[in-house]
Amino acid sequence: EGTAALANALHSNTTLQGLDLGRIRVGSRGFISMVTQLVGANATLCFLSFYNNPIFSFTSGQSDKDAHAALHSLISQKTGLRFIHLGGTGIGNTECKPISDALISEECSLIFLDLSTNQIDDEGVAVLC
């Protein structure tokens, strides 16, 4: 609920350039809510961090699909975001495909993507490459 309220406020914000949501226990629903509000709305935000939040630390199901779609949207859409910090969010090999697809999108405007401290192994790295 708190993340949804913040996301709603950010939807029309025209001054904030960076937002660090690290270590505040944002889960998959909060992540999805935040991304849904930001994509296509807030053009001034260029730095976004979800560092060390349990976003992708759940079992497969609808939440998994929705979080993957939000992840792809966040990276692939022309949002103004240049830096996204997703370290320690539980990203594993299954999240590498939506990330890879998003990175090759013509709309992707990222210059920095941090995936450190996640569960990506050689298989996931191969998908990213």
Side-chain angles (χ1 to χ4, degrees):
E1 294 176 15
T3 308
L6 177 59
N8 196 30
L10 288 172
H11 183 77
S12 59
N13 183 288
T14 59
T15 57
L16 190 67
Q17 294 182 2
L19 180 61
D20 186 349
L21 298 172
R23 298 181 182 186
I24 62 167
R25 295 188 304 245
V26 172
S28 61
R29 288 186 304 185
F31 176 75
I32 293 164
S33 176
M34 182 68 72
V35 170
T36 301
Q37 289 294 326
L38 287 177
V39 170
N42 185 314
T44 59
L45 195 65
C46 61
F47 171 85
L48 182 59
S49 175
F50 285 100
Y51 177 73
N52 206 22
N53 281 293
I55 296 168
F56 299 97
S57 300
F58 45 79
T59 59
S60 295
Q62 187 59 43
S63 293
D64 194 25
K65 292 175 186 169
D66 292 345
H68 284 181
L71 178 62
H72 183 274
S73 247
L74 180 66
I75 295 170
S76 68
Q77 300 295 316
K78 197 168 196 111
T79 60
L81 282 170
R82 299 292 183 262
F83 304 88
I84 301 177
H85 189 20
L86 295 170
T89 56
I91 290 174
N93 292 342
T94 58
E95 287 78 32
C96 290
K97 178 66 173 151
I99 291 170
S100 177
D101 290 345
L103 288 171
I104 61 173
S105 164
E106 290 181 21
E107 297 296 313
C108 180
S109 57
L110 287 182
I111 59 174
F112 177 86
L113 177 62
D114 180 6
L115 300 174
S116 65
T117 322
N118 280 300
Q119 292 92 35
I120 301 170
D121 61 21
D122 291 343
E123 178 186 331
V125 172
V127 171
L128 288 171
C129 295

